[in-house]
Amino acid sequence: MIASQIVAQLYTVRDYIKTPPEIAKSLKKIREIGYDAVQVSGMGPIPEAELKSMLDGEGLVCCATHEGAERILNDTQQIVDRLNALNCQHTAYPHPANVDLSCLQGVDALASRLDAAGKLLYAHGMTLSYHNHQIEFRKVGGQTILSRLMEKTDPRYLKLELDTYWAQYGGGDPVTWCQQSNGRLPLLHLKDYEIGEDNQPRFASIGRGNLDWHRIIVAAEASGCQWFIVEQDTCPGDPFDALKQSYEYLSATFCSKEVEM
């Protein structure tokens, strides 16, 4: 991992990016933390050209987006146009809203639609990835939903944006999923997992929870991960502080340092 591969998922600061002035202010703060790239998600309405100008002004790359589930499946060309406007290669299907995943027929039907959307994106040099929550680790027909989706889609047309917290929450092993997704893991959502005083799992800044980041990062790099995306769904305090804590841990622990002469 190099520092420029560490990404801030803007959903983390969604309460601070509802208007263009708020977006501009938040992007500046994220750049000042040290991030070189962001994933666009949870943002209020703003024209792509204006957003791209803000990103360029701060020296930030839009490495990926999250788009509405139905929009990806039904209006894929609009996603292509949006990614082109942002000079962005990757997007992710965020959540199977209003999809029946209780039977193999429902899972396979979703896989078919994802494959079709991913094929169009692929034709334009773009990549569609699937973002998991815990629900995809439910077994249907003796197989996890996530495994079935990956099996029933073309690896060219659907990749995986593994979310480490939700994989752990669902009973999966983030390391194993990184390892078995070789060549199919361009994006990784880094979220730490800890047990609070109420004995319930909760989100934590990277390095402050229980996940084995050394094994996760090594496995992800070996599988060809391009972007390591920091996201914290809920934060105990200021979400910008949480992003800063995660960035400092990752950059200090995993990024190569120049040798002093």
Side-chain angles (χ1 to χ4, degrees):
M1 179 196 294
I2 58 176
S4 60
Q5 291 177 287
I6 305 174
V7 182
Q9 223 292 20
L10 295 182
Y11 184 79
T12 308
V13 295
R14 59 195 177 277
D15 293 335
Y16 299 85
I17 52 173
K18 295 180 178 180
T19 66
E22 289 180 335
I23 293 168
K25 182 178 179 181
S26 295
L27 292 177
K28 183 176 182 62
K29 291 176 73 171
I30 285 169
R31 185 68 185 94
E32 288 173 347
I33 289 170
Y35 289 96
D36 293 310
V38 296
Q39 182 176 36
V40 171
S41 177
M43 183 177 288
I46 182 173
E48 279 83 7
E50 185 176 358
L51 175 58
K52 182 64 166 59
S53 178
M54 289 180 183
L55 291 166
D56 290 346
E58 295 297 340
L60 286 166
V61 172
C62 174
C63 74
T65 72
H66 270 194
E67 304 293 344
E70 287 301 313
R71 192 173 176 215
I72 285 176
L73 299 178
N74 298 326
D75 298 303
T76 314
Q77 184 59 50
Q78 289 187 18
I79 305 303
V80 170
D81 296 341
R82 174 169 164 79
L83 295 183
N84 271 327
L86 295 173
N87 192 28
C88 178
Q89 180 185 352
H90 297 278
T91 193
Y93 180 85
H95 187 270
N98 304 314
V99 177
D100 181 10
L101 298 179
S102 64
C103 61
L104 287 179
Q105 291 87 344
V107 176
D108 290 351
L110 175 60
S112 179
R113 296 182 72 194
L114 288 166
D115 221 35
K119 185 176 183 178
L120 179 57
L121 284 158
Y122 179 83
H124 288 82
M126 298 169 181
T127 301
L128 175 63
S129 295
Y130 188 94
H131 173 265
N132 67 279
H133 289 82
Q134 83 279 16
I135 60 174
E136 290 87 0
F137 292 89
R138 174 185 174 186
K139 287 188 175 181
V140 177
Q143 186 178 17
T144 66
I145 292 168
L146 189 56
S147 294
R148 183 77 175 187
L149 288 172
M150 294 294 104
E151 177 186 298
K152 291 294 181 177
T153 51
D154 190 316
R156 294 174 299 173
Y157 304 150
L158 188 69
K159 309 292 186 182
L160 178 62
E161 180 185 61
L162 183 70
D163 186 301
T164 58
Y165 178 94
W166 291 117
Q168 179 78 14
Y169 190 97
D173 176 19
V175 174
T176 299
W177 271 95
C178 287
Q179 291 170 337
Q180 67 187 25
S181 302
N182 189 17
R184 209 171 179 179
L185 187 72
L187 313 173
L188 182 67
H189 267 195
L190 279 63
K191 298 183 187 176
D192 218 334
Y193 181 104
E194 68 174 351
I195 302 299
E197 295 178 357
D198 59 357
N199 294 318
Q200 297 299 312
R202 66 184 184 191
F203 302 96
S205 299
I206 308 304
R208 299 195 174 195
N210 298 329
L211 295 186
D212 189 339
W213 291 107
H214 289 271
R215 294 181 63 234
I216 291 171
I217 298 299
V218 167
E221 288 184 316
S223 287
C225 184
Q226 300 170 33
W227 299 105
F228 298 84
I229 304 169
V230 174
E231 182 178 22
Q232 194 164 331
D233 295 29
T234 59
C235 307
D238 187 332
F240 293 98
D241 289 341
L243 285 176
K244 185 172 188 279
Q245 291 164 2
S246 293
Y247 181 85
E248 289 177 345
Y249 171 80
L250 290 167
S251 60
T253 307
F254 296 106
C255 297
S256 300
K257 298 179 176 61
E258 294 182 0
V259 178
E260 294 184 3
M261 301 298 291

